[in-house]
Amino acid sequence: MREHPIELSVNGTEITAGVEPRMTLADFLRDKCGLTGTHLGCEHGACGACTVLLDGEAVRSCLMFAVQADGTEVTTVEGVAEPDGTLSPVQSALRECHGLQCGFCTPGFVMSLTALLRDNPDPSDHEIREGLSGNFCRCTGYQGIVAAARRAAETQSVTQR
């Protein structure tokens, strides 16, 4: 099958690659970029484990072809922490509030919460739950995840003052 050239930024690094037209963005990130934090769960867009930011918007990378990301900026869970390894407010809050257990769904939650809090820095619990309705977790019961979202919102509001 003929490969198509794409150019995009992934976590701030410019990447040029040839991809088959049917390769998903998730597979591109995992197989071509070595960024295995983007998890594949259902491969139908329902579980949210493959969520990444595409030009700042949360998208399901299993539902996109890599060729559709040509010319965009993609941020994966590996690109959320500071370059020195300092965790983002969302990552820190998930750790502090016990918002993760097995960790499989965690990258998708990190990305969805990052986008949610960017767009709504002080969400209600209902808005948090609504914003995360596309992410499934089978371990935590969501209480720790909602608490982490509140904690991250508080932390971000303090650092933005």
Side-chain angles (χ1 to χ4, degrees):
M1 186 166 286
R2 193 174 134 221
E3 289 192 342
H4 293 273
I6 62 171
E7 294 180 18
L8 66 159
S9 172
V10 179
N11 299 330
T13 301
E14 297 299 321
I15 295 181
T16 301
V19 298
E20 291 184 12
R22 66 181 180 205
M23 176 177 265
T24 66
L25 179 57
D27 288 335
F28 173 78
L29 294 169
R30 292 178 61 79
D31 299 342
K32 296 270 188 172
C33 299
L35 299 171
T36 57
T38 300
H39 291 168
L40 289 168
C42 67
E43 297 191 54
H44 295 284
C47 74
C50 68
T51 303
V52 299
L53 302 182
L54 182 78
D55 290 335
E57 297 298 317
V59 299
R60 303 295 190 261
S61 63
C62 74
L63 296 180
M64 278 192 72
F65 293 116
V67 294
Q68 292 175 288
D70 187 28
T72 66
E73 181 169 332
V74 176
T75 305
T76 69
V77 71
E78 291 92 345
V80 175
E82 296 296 324
D84 68 359
T86 302
L87 298 178
S88 75
V90 168
Q91 292 169 313
S92 292
L94 282 165
R95 184 178 63 190
E96 291 170 24
C97 298
H98 307 285
L100 47 99
Q101 283 185 7
C102 82
F104 188 82
C105 65
T106 302
F109 275 101
V110 168
M111 302 314 291
S112 292
L113 282 172
T114 299
L116 172 69
L117 295 175
R118 182 203 59 228
D119 296 341
N120 183 355
D122 188 25
S124 67
D125 283 3
H126 174 75
E127 291 168 323
I128 292 167
R129 288 181 184 281
E130 182 68 28
L132 295 177
S133 64
N135 294 79
F136 295 154
C137 176
R138 295 178 183 246
C139 300
T140 66
Y142 297 91
Q143 295 303 82
I145 297 168
V146 173
R150 284 195 308 269
R151 175 75 178 123
E154 293 166 5
T155 303
Q156 286 183 173
S157 69
V158 168
T159 59
Q160 293 173 354
R161 289 182 193 162

